Every structure is written in structure tokens, then in C-alpha cells.
Amino acid sequence: MLTNDICEITKIDAQNLSIDETNNLYIADSIMTDKYGFLKRYKNADEYKSAYLPIFNGEDNELFSLCKNDKIHGILAFVKGFDWSGKEQYKLIIKLCDTAASIPLDNCLRQFILKKLELHGQIAITAYDNEFDERLKELSTKVQLKSNNYTLTKTDIDVGMLKEAAEALQVKNNDLRMVYSNALPEEYIEQYCNLFNELQEAMPDVAEDGFVQYVESPEKLRGRIKSNAERNITHHCYMVFNASGDMVAQSNVAVNNNDPRFPYQFLIGVTEQYRGRSLGKWLYAVMYQKLFTEIDFEKVHVAHHPLNKHIIAVSEWVGYKFAFLETTYIL
């Protein structure tokens, strides 16, 4: 336990909580979910206990309460994982119930962070909505990831508008063809990987000092296709091809069929030569018609770097609304 004035950080034994302790944590989690605009993944304390708390085994993954005057002020999750290159990484995720941190809280957190840093040599720290921006910059200016997170509520989708836009853009781009897949066939894998990596390299994310690019490969993709099938996850993918059969654009959404409430929109992009033809809108128009018609979801979520103005505009066109800013620093 770390204390400073009226603040303390205490490790939680997530496997041995009383009913009241579980309820208190769930209430704090609900407050933070509403505050930041996170997806509401847990319907009640029992679901929170069964679906979230088991990952905190007290060895690689630890959960901490941050309290002021015996009241939960925030939750710290310290987890062991990997960055996009596959390198082992420890990450501290900071979430607060209140709107701002006090000076005593700053001091307490600083002690906690420095102890973890001393123990592991390097850690990543994720915080939201610039709450700790100035404080973390005092420890490091190296940003690994900065992303605006957006959500699209099903009821905000205008299917008629999307249908009309898709038909118009099909006519406008009659030299191109669009192909849909829910499990990429072998014939598309190499082109998919090449375009995926080309689009990643063009993202504003690469300008961040600590950014680590995910590199797609046929081997990784085949492994993920197999894993998706085993976990009952559908990868909805629309691809655009030119007359020569070259893939020039793609859009991707992952849906967990065991719990389809929150599909995840990931990489959407167009190769440089074909930009300016509204292919992003075309991809979104057909994708969200399909999701609206076939998937019983609540909200789709997507993350864009704040400087990726063009794709943010396309996301807002289809109905996405800003939820929160997420920033990960490397110390």
C-alpha cells in the first residue's frame, strides 16, 4: 500500500472479494464508464466479477484501488502484454472517478509509477482525456499511441442515406469492383497484407516517438483467421479492386458472435493513387448497411489518431460520435 496525505493505493485481491467489495468496484467502474464514454460491457456486478476480474491473478496482472478518505477515487490496472511488434510490455492503465486529480493524488501516483518503473525498467502508461497529460510529460514525452475513440449507435445509422450513397458511388467508380468476405480466402491474403501495411505506414500514428507499427503477414493473418473461427468471431471485410485485379482499398469490422453488442471497426483506407474518389465513404456505406441489417449490435467503436482528419470526417459522416481521447506514454 502506498499513501500520501489522504490518498492511498492498495492492491486488490480480485479472486477473494466480498459481495460488498465487488459491488463497490462495479459501481466505480460504472461511474468511470459514464464519465469517459466507454462501452458499457458489464450489465451488473456479477457479470463484472465473472468477465473482468478473473484476469487479475496477482502475478502478471494486478488491480489496485486508488482511494481518498476511504472512498474509491480511481482504479489502476497493471497488466503484462505485448506491443504490436510482439515485444513484452507492462502497461499501467489509469482511470479516475472524479474529473481531476489533486496534488496529494499526483504525489501518490508518482511514487507508484516510479516503483513499477524501477521494478520493470520500462512501462507504458495509458490515461484518458488528457487528465494526466502534463504530469506524465514530466516523466516522459515519448508517446506510443494517441487516439480519438468514437462510437456509432445503431439507431444513429441512416440506412436510406447509406443505400443512396452506395449506389451513387458504385456508378461513379464503375471501373472498380467491390468484394465482400467474412473469412479472407487464400487468393486475397497476400494483397490484403500488402495494402494493410501500406496504409499503416501512411497513418499519422507513425510520427509518435514511441509508436510501434503492427506489420501484417500472411502467416499472422492465416493464424488470425483460424483463431477467429475457433472463438466465433467474424471478420467482415470489404475490398475494392481495380480492373487489373489490384486491391486498392479495404475496410474491416470484427464482430464477436458470442456477444455482438460492440463490433470493432479497424483499418479502413485507400491506396494513394485512388484517393479523392470517395472510396472511404463507399466502403463505409456498404459496411454499415450490412451491419445494420444482419447484426444485433448496440454500438460500433473505432479509434483514429487525432490528426487523421480525413478519415475522422468520413466516420462522422456515417454517424460516429467522439467518446474519449486515449494516450499511452512510454517510460
Side-chain angles (χ1 to χ4, degrees):
M1 179 174 71
L2 280 176
T3 63
N4 188 286
D5 295 339
I6 58 173
C7 299
E8 63 179 25
I9 296 175
T10 306
K11 185 173 178 178
I12 297 169
D13 184 355
Q15 311 306 312
N16 295 288
L17 293 172
S18 68
I19 293 175
D20 285 345
E21 288 170 332
T22 301
N23 286 337
N24 288 338
L25 283 175
Y26 172 69
I27 290 169
D29 184 83
S30 299
I31 291 170
M32 293 182 293
T33 295
D34 291 338
K35 171 192 167 185
Y36 294 114
F38 295 157
L39 299 172
K40 296 183 179 181
R41 297 188 180 276
Y42 313 112
K43 298 175 183 177
N44 51 51
D46 288 339
E47 194 170 286
Y48 175 77
K49 179 180 180 180
S50 63
Y52 180 64
L53 292 180
I55 70 172
F56 296 100
N57 53 26
E59 298 173 3
D60 293 332
N61 299 330
E62 301 172 296
L63 194 65
F64 299 85
S65 64
L66 196 158
C67 296
K68 292 171 63 177
N69 299 324
D70 297 323
K71 184 177 180 180
I72 294 178
H73 184 72
I75 300 292
L76 309 179
F78 192 75
V79 296
K80 180 181 179 182
F82 300 90
D83 67 18
W84 286 350
S85 71
K87 179 183 176 182
E88 184 177 278
Q89 181 180 69
Y90 286 89
K91 179 185 286 189
L92 174 65
I93 302 166
I94 305 173
K95 296 185 289 186
L96 296 179
C97 297
D98 298 338
T99 55
S102 66
I103 294 301
L105 174 58
D106 284 351
N107 294 337
C108 192
L109 261 178
R110 185 183 182 88
Q111 291 178 32
F112 180 85
I113 289 168
L114 292 177
K115 282 184 177 292
K116 289 297 184 185
L117 186 60
E118 182 180 2
L119 183 62
H120 297 288
Q122 176 177 292
I123 61 173
I125 301 181
T126 295
Y128 302 96
D129 293 341
N130 290 327
E131 282 182 324
F132 288 95
D133 195 44
E134 293 304 319
R135 301 161 182 88
L136 291 175
K137 282 180 179 178
E138 295 175 1
L139 298 172
S140 172
T141 58
K142 198 171 185 179
V143 172
Q144 183 179 68
L145 176 70
K146 184 180 286 286
S147 62
N148 283 344
N149 288 259
Y150 297 81
T151 57
L152 172 62
T153 303
K154 188 170 187 177
T155 53
D156 286 340
I157 296 177
D158 185 339
V159 180
M161 182 272 286
L162 295 182
K163 184 175 185 296
E164 184 178 329
E167 291 172 351
L169 290 167
Q170 172 76 75
V171 173
K172 178 182 177 181
N173 295 287
N174 60 8
D175 59 323
L176 304 175
R177 64 186 176 94
M178 187 174 287
V179 174
Y180 168 77
S181 170
N182 60 10
L184 284 168
E186 185 64 32
E187 63 182 296
Y188 297 140
I189 285 180
E190 185 172 353
Q191 281 205 71
Y192 176 94
C193 293
N194 290 340
L195 180 57
F196 188 101
N197 292 330
E198 176 190 330
L199 296 174
Q200 287 275 20
E201 290 172 0
M203 295 292 179
D205 309 61
V206 300
E208 302 294 355
D209 290 343
F211 179 72
V212 177
Q213 182 177 329
Y214 176 79
V215 178
E216 188 65 278
S217 70
E219 293 74 23
K220 287 181 184 177
L221 184 53
R222 292 186 189 104
R224 193 161 64 255
I225 292 170
K226 180 180 178 181
S227 175
N228 284 344
E230 292 171 348
R231 295 183 295 150
N232 198 22
I233 293 173
T234 300
H235 172 190
H236 298 274
C237 181
Y238 278 97
M239 299 158 283
V240 178
F241 294 85
N242 64 17
S244 301
D246 302 319
M247 190 185 299
V248 300
Q250 62 173 260
S251 177
N252 304 272
V253 171
V255 177
N256 182 344
N257 300 301
N258 301 313
D259 180 6
R261 290 177 299 158
F262 306 118
Y264 173 53
Q265 167 79 57
F266 58 105
L267 188 69
I268 176 172
V270 180
T271 192
E272 186 174 3
Q273 181 183 350
Y274 285 84
R275 291 171 193 164
R277 297 179 58 169
S278 298
L279 298 189
K281 284 188 174 182
W282 189 20
L283 286 164
Y284 262 176
V286 294
M287 178 70 81
Y288 287 99
Q289 283 185 82
K290 185 175 187 65
L291 293 181
F292 186 93
T293 304
E294 300 182 6
I295 310 298
D296 184 21
F297 71 92
E298 294 179 16
K299 289 183 178 181
V300 195
H301 60 114
V302 68
H304 299 307
H305 191 281
L307 295 181
N308 199 349
K309 302 297 185 182
H310 176 72
I311 194 58
I312 288 173
V314 177
S315 291
E316 291 176 338
W317 169 78
V318 84
Y320 274 99
K321 293 181 173 60
F322 176 78
F324 59 90
L325 169 67
E326 175 181 345
T327 307
T328 298
Y329 287 88
I330 297 295
L331 274 65

